[in-house]
Amino acid sequence: MLKATIDADMFREAIEAISALIPECRLHTDESGFSTRAVDTANVAMISLTLRKEAFDTYKATKSQLGIDLMKMKNIFGMADKGDLISIEMADNAQKMSVSVHGYHYSITLLDTNTIRKDPNPPTINLPGKIVIKGEDLNNAMKAAAVISDKIALGINPKDQTFYLVAEGDTDHIRREFTKDELVSLTPAEARSLFSLDYLKDMGKVMSKAEQVEIFLGIDHPVRFSFDIAGGNGHVEYLLAPRIEAD
Amino acid sequence: MLKATIDADMFREAIEAISALIPECRLHTDESGFSTRAVDTANVAMISLTLRKEAFDTYKATKSQLGIDLMKMKNIFGMADKGDLISIEMADNAQKMSVSVHGYHYSITLLDTNTIRKDPNPPTINLPGKIVIKGEDLNNAMKAAAVISDKIALGINPKDQTFYLVAEGDTDHIRREFTKDELVSLTPAEARSLFSLDYLKDMGKVMSKAEQVEIFLGIDHPVRFSFDIAGGNGHVEYLLAPRIEAD
Amino acid sequence: MLKATIDADMFREAIEAISALIPECRLHTDESGFSTRAVDTANVAMISLTLRKEAFDTYKATKSQLGIDLMKMKNIFGMADKGDLISIEMADNAQKMSVSVHGYHYSITLLDTNTIRKDPNPPTINLPGKIVIKGEDLNNAMKAAAVISDKIALGINPKDQTFYLVAEGDTDHIRREFTKDELVSLTPAEARSLFSLDYLKDMGKVMSKAEQVEIFLGIDHPVRFSFDIAGGNGHVEYLLAPRIEAD
């Protein structure tokens, strides 16, 4: 059973954070809120998202799993205006979800959760370097690098106490160094790994709205991005596998 | 003979109402103003438009027929700024129309009216249900339905005194009910017919600018939309044939 | 050697004036500033551009030639915000240019100047008619004409003291006359030549930002457009060959 109302913008924020990586997901509901964990088809990126019941205006749910077509959700909620309230309702074991917004009543058929990949186990990785940065600064760096190349190295220079991003194109090169002053905080540790900008551009767009993003880095290890959504009542973690440095 | 000046926005409004259905039209001029009546190539939709001489700043015309390429007109008048005056001039039996706007002088070759379909006869249909609604509300409902399906049922529930729109997609469903409070007025009568959203989306865009749209409905009958343009000095009627309910 | 800083908008303005005609150019630097002269691949249009050292915040350069990929420059500087300062630095005989803007450091490989066409000689042409017009008016006329045709005649009517533009499409015709009152100035002389709108549309977009554009015209001769950029500390001349009037 599920019966909840939520601000259209907050729900859209959560949907967009997930749909940056995957077109459909298995959404877990229980009395504490919504959550999902999924890897993309190429097994390169993972998202963990929670949307706590405090993000909702009203919330009541029993333990369940919903198969969500994220593209369809984006199209439907693209119609909602800022400030609109979305009401979601579902009976036990129902195949359909009732959604009401701004006088419109939708009956949306859910995906069969058996057709959606099993939830991945969260890997235990030790990433010693940590940066806290404004989401907008991070996204701008991704956009600038994407003009030059399709991959980017993220690293920490412990001596200079800087966080750097370097992208090498066929003929050109871009480097951005953030000093401690430009960051919210920096936990220095030798760190440098190479990543695909295809993924980082999509993640960057989502993270650009976050006041602060925590970045965890190691040497030739995955990167973890961690940030709040829904006014602090939701949380997202992106994990992205490194690429091999080819030189 | 034709010699007239009109506000660019008013003329554009009339052109766009016609071009939502057809790419070219036969425009009738006489001393009382402009008028056209045409059906689309698929014989599914009909438009009747009048633009009274009161919509013009100056107007003088004898009885004549002009073959108008509406796409060309849209491209040309897309250049005009809000508040620009358009001057139109044509000699008797001329093949070319002189148009002046904002210092630009156009000579536009008319289409041969013999190549344009004959004016259709206005059908006499009895449509007992009537709704008066804000154009913007109507257009928003069309846009929301188009996310789910390519057809929509419009109906009246006489008991509840509501106007409803229902669209069924392959897996999903949307319903919007307008209570009497949300409408300008409602004349209750049992009514429900199914229509193609391809047409309604284009009509909806035009009608979104109308303060009020009258909708006339029956049971498995065409729908008629009736609304003013050009500040009340012009009028449009759209008639749209129903689709067969396939179930 | 080159070491200079310049407002991002000023540099972008210069890059866009050149890239309207050609994708890459040979940029000359010396102690007085930047300059380039180039013809497009079809040998129909020529640009001469100077950006004087006064356009820069700081400027120091020895005589040199740089092979510039203009599209790449546009992509990179598209990221810069209004008011950002761009720093450019190059060692003697270097193949790479260092560019810094808003914390981003680029290393950009230059093109081999041997692969770029030799600088054309400026032709000596006598064009007796001269018009000075607002850049925006000129651009609007190009856009209006492009709806009707792909070529346009520019001319002066010495008797009426007007500057006119005429475009003939397959069926339609547009004419715009600028009286002396609508122009900054007019030096009357019999003049009329036909030009390709493909080129004029691109040039028009650049010239639309110029307060004043000088136009020099003859009879079936090229047209020369002359205007300032970079707040008067730079200058552009476009020369465009006429088309043959086919009738």
Side-chain angles (χ1 to χ4, degrees):
Chain A
M1 187 275 305
L2 169 67
K3 197 169 153 66
T5 54
I6 186 169
D7 177 86
D9 262 4
M10 293 219 179
F11 199 55
R12 198 151 39 194
E13 210 183 343
I15 295 287
E16 281 172 5
I18 312 172
S19 68
L21 290 195
I22 44 172
E24 52 190 48
C25 78
R26 180 197 314 265
L27 196 68
H28 298 270
T29 65
D30 64 20
E31 53 187 24
S32 69
F34 285 3
S35 69
T36 197
R37 172 176 296 130
V39 292
D40 83 302
T41 10
N43 289 319
V44 171
M46 182 191 291
I47 178 173
S48 307
L49 174 142
T50 54
L51 193 61
R52 281 196 295 281
K53 72 162 188 275
E54 288 78 9
F56 294 80
D57 283 48
T58 67
Y59 185 85
K60 222 174 139 181
T62 51
K63 206 171 169 55
S64 183
Q65 293 186 17
L66 319 182
I68 303 288
D69 180 336
L70 294 159
M71 292 309 134
K72 192 159 74 182
M73 286 293 181
K74 276 180 78 167
N75 285 336
I76 288 175
F77 298 123
M79 303 290 306
D81 287 323
K82 209 179 149 69
D84 278 348
L85 264 193
I86 297 178
S87 303
I88 305 170
E89 219 175 320
M90 246 189 82
D92 278 327
N93 301 315
Q95 299 308 310
K96 286 171 182 293
M97 185 164 78
S98 292
V99 178
S100 299
V101 55
H102 205 133
Y104 294 94
H105 304 285
Y106 296 86
S107 165
I108 298 171
T109 301
L110 297 176
L111 302 175
D112 182 348
T113 49
N114 292 317
T115 66
I116 302 178
R117 292 177 68 168
K118 288 222 175 101
D119 289 15
N121 292 319
T124 48
I125 311 170
N126 184 26
L127 299 168
K130 178 179 168 189
I131 303 106
V132 186
I133 188 172
K134 265 207 287 184
E136 203 189 333
D137 287 347
L138 185 60
N139 184 42
N140 284 340
M142 299 306 168
K143 286 195 294 180
V147 171
I148 301 293
S149 181
D150 60 355
K151 50 191 189 295
I152 190 170
L154 308 185
I156 293 173
N157 185 331
K159 218 185 300 168
D160 302 358
Q161 304 249 333
T162 54
F163 166 52
Y164 64 84
L165 307 97
V166 180
E168 297 271 359
D170 288 338
T171 56
D172 311 311
H173 178 101
I174 180 173
R175 182 180 181 90
R176 177 71 164 97
E177 256 168 51
F178 289 90
T179 60
K180 250 189 131 168
D181 286 354
E182 295 178 274
L183 301 168
V184 181
S185 75
L186 177 99
T187 308
E190 201 69 55
R192 179 196 170 96
S193 308
L194 188 71
F195 303 100
S196 159
L197 273 165
D198 274 355
Y199 287 89
L200 286 176
K201 269 189 300 178
D202 290 341
M203 294 174 174
K205 221 177 291 171
V206 173
M207 295 190 287
S208 70
K209 289 161 205 153
E211 190 55 45
Q212 294 191 2
V213 176
E214 294 177 335
I215 309 176
F216 298 89
L217 278 174
I219 296 174
D220 291 330
H221 258 63
V223 58
R224 186 163 71 234
F225 300 101
S226 176
F227 57 98
D228 283 344
I229 56 168
N233 288 316
H235 192 77
V236 176
E237 293 213 353
Y238 286 136
L239 191 72
L240 180 64
R243 284 182 50 156
I244 308 304
E245 296 234 26
D247 57 3
Chain B
M1 188 275 305
L2 169 66
K3 197 168 153 66
T5 54
I6 186 169
D7 178 87
D9 261 4
M10 292 218 179
F11 198 56
R12 198 151 39 193
E13 210 183 342
I15 295 287
E16 281 171 5
I18 312 172
S19 67
L21 290 195
I22 45 172
E24 52 190 47
C25 79
R26 180 196 314 266
L27 196 69
H28 298 270
T29 65
D30 64 20
E31 53 186 24
S32 69
F34 285 4
S35 70
T36 197
R37 173 176 295 130
V39 292
D40 83 302
T41 10
N43 288 319
V44 171
M46 182 190 290
I47 178 173
S48 307
L49 175 142
T50 54
L51 193 61
R52 281 195 296 281
K53 72 162 189 275
E54 288 78 9
F56 294 80
D57 283 47
T58 66
Y59 186 85
K60 223 176 138 180
T62 51
K63 206 170 169 55
S64 183
Q65 293 185 17
L66 319 183
I68 303 288
D69 180 336
L70 293 159
M71 291 309 134
K72 192 159 73 182
M73 287 293 181
K74 275 180 79 167
N75 285 335
I76 289 175
F77 298 123
M79 304 290 306
D81 287 323
K82 209 179 149 71
D84 279 348
L85 264 194
I86 296 178
S87 303
I88 304 170
E89 220 176 320
M90 246 189 82
D92 278 327
N93 301 316
Q95 299 309 310
K96 286 172 182 291
M97 185 164 79
S98 293
V99 178
S100 299
V101 54
H102 205 133
Y104 294 94
H105 303 284
Y106 296 87
S107 165
I108 298 170
T109 301
L110 298 176
L111 302 174
D112 182 348
T113 49
N114 292 318
T115 66
I116 301 178
R117 291 177 69 167
K118 289 223 175 98
D119 288 15
N121 292 318
T124 48
I125 311 170
N126 185 26
L127 299 168
K130 178 180 169 189
I131 303 106
V132 186
I133 189 172
K134 265 207 286 184
E136 204 188 332
D137 287 347
L138 185 60
N139 184 42
N140 284 340
M142 299 306 168
K143 286 196 293 181
V147 171
I148 301 293
S149 181
D150 60 355
K151 49 192 190 295
I152 190 170
L154 309 185
I156 294 173
N157 185 331
K159 219 185 298 169
D160 302 358
Q161 305 249 333
T162 54
F163 166 53
Y164 64 83
L165 307 97
V166 180
E168 297 271 0
D170 288 338
T171 57
D172 311 311
H173 178 101
I174 180 174
R175 182 180 180 89
R176 177 71 164 96
E177 256 168 51
F178 289 90
T179 60
K180 249 188 132 168
D181 287 354
E182 295 178 274
L183 301 168
V184 181
S185 76
L186 177 99
T187 308
E190 201 69 56
R192 180 197 170 94
S193 308
L194 188 71
F195 302 99
S196 159
L197 272 166
D198 274 355
Y199 287 88
L200 286 176
K201 270 190 300 178
D202 291 341
M203 294 174 173
K205 220 176 293 171
V206 173
M207 295 190 287
S208 70
K209 290 161 204 153
E211 190 55 44
Q212 295 191 2
V213 176
E214 294 177 336
I215 309 175
F216 298 88
L217 278 174
I219 296 174
D220 292 330
H221 258 63
V223 58
R224 186 162 71 234
F225 300 101
S226 176
F227 56 99
D228 283 343
I229 56 168
N233 288 316
H235 192 77
V236 176
E237 294 213 354
Y238 286 136
L239 191 72
L240 179 64
R243 284 183 51 157
I244 308 304
E245 297 234 25
D247 57 3
Chain C
M1 188 276 305
L2 169 66
K3 197 169 153 65
T5 54
I6 186 169
D7 178 86
D9 261 5
M10 292 218 179
F11 198 56
R12 197 150 40 194
E13 210 183 342
I15 295 286
E16 281 172 5
I18 312 172
S19 68
L21 290 195
I22 45 172
E24 53 190 47
C25 78
R26 179 197 314 265
L27 196 68
H28 298 270
T29 65
D30 64 20
E31 53 186 24
S32 69
F34 285 4
S35 70
T36 197
R37 174 176 295 130
V39 291
D40 83 302
T41 10
N43 288 319
V44 171
M46 182 190 291
I47 178 173
S48 307
L49 175 142
T50 54
L51 194 60
R52 281 196 295 281
K53 72 163 189 275
E54 288 78 9
F56 294 80
D57 283 47
T58 67
Y59 186 84
K60 223 176 139 179
T62 50
K63 206 170 169 57
S64 183
Q65 293 185 17
L66 319 183
I68 303 288
D69 180 335
L70 294 159
M71 292 309 134
K72 191 159 74 182
M73 287 293 181
K74 275 180 79 167
N75 286 335
I76 289 175
F77 298 123
M79 304 290 306
D81 287 323
K82 209 179 150 70
D84 278 348
L85 264 194
I86 296 178
S87 302
I88 304 170
E89 219 176 319
M90 245 189 83
D92 278 327
N93 302 316
Q95 299 308 309
K96 286 172 182 292
M97 185 164 79
S98 292
V99 178
S100 299
V101 55
H102 205 133
Y104 294 94
H105 303 284
Y106 296 86
S107 165
I108 298 171
T109 301
L110 297 176
L111 302 174
D112 182 348
T113 48
N114 292 317
T115 66
I116 302 178
R117 292 177 68 167
K118 288 221 176 101
D119 288 15
N121 292 319
T124 47
I125 312 170
N126 184 27
L127 299 168
K130 178 179 169 190
I131 303 107
V132 186
I133 188 172
K134 265 206 287 184
E136 204 188 333
D137 287 347
L138 185 60
N139 184 42
N140 284 340
M142 298 307 168
K143 286 196 294 180
V147 171
I148 301 294
S149 182
D150 60 355
K151 49 191 189 295
I152 190 171
L154 308 186
I156 294 173
N157 185 330
K159 219 185 298 168
D160 302 358
Q161 304 249 333
T162 54
F163 166 53
Y164 65 83
L165 307 97
V166 180
E168 297 270 0
D170 288 337
T171 56
D172 310 311
H173 179 101
I174 180 174
R175 182 179 181 90
R176 177 70 165 97
E177 256 168 51
F178 288 90
T179 60
K180 250 188 131 168
D181 286 354
E182 295 177 274
L183 301 168
V184 182
S185 76
L186 177 99
T187 308
E190 201 70 55
R192 179 196 169 95
S193 308
L194 188 71
F195 302 99
S196 159
L197 273 165
D198 274 355
Y199 287 88
L200 286 176
K201 269 189 300 177
D202 291 341
M203 294 174 174
K205 221 177 291 171
V206 173
M207 296 190 286
S208 70
K209 290 160 205 154
E211 190 55 45
Q212 294 191 3
V213 176
E214 295 178 335
I215 310 175
F216 298 89
L217 278 174
I219 296 174
D220 292 331
H221 258 63
V223 58
R224 186 162 71 234
F225 300 101
S226 176
F227 57 99
D228 283 343
I229 56 168
N233 289 316
H235 192 77
V236 176
E237 294 212 354
Y238 286 136
L239 192 72
L240 180 64
R243 284 183 49 157
I244 308 304
E245 296 234 25
D247 57 1

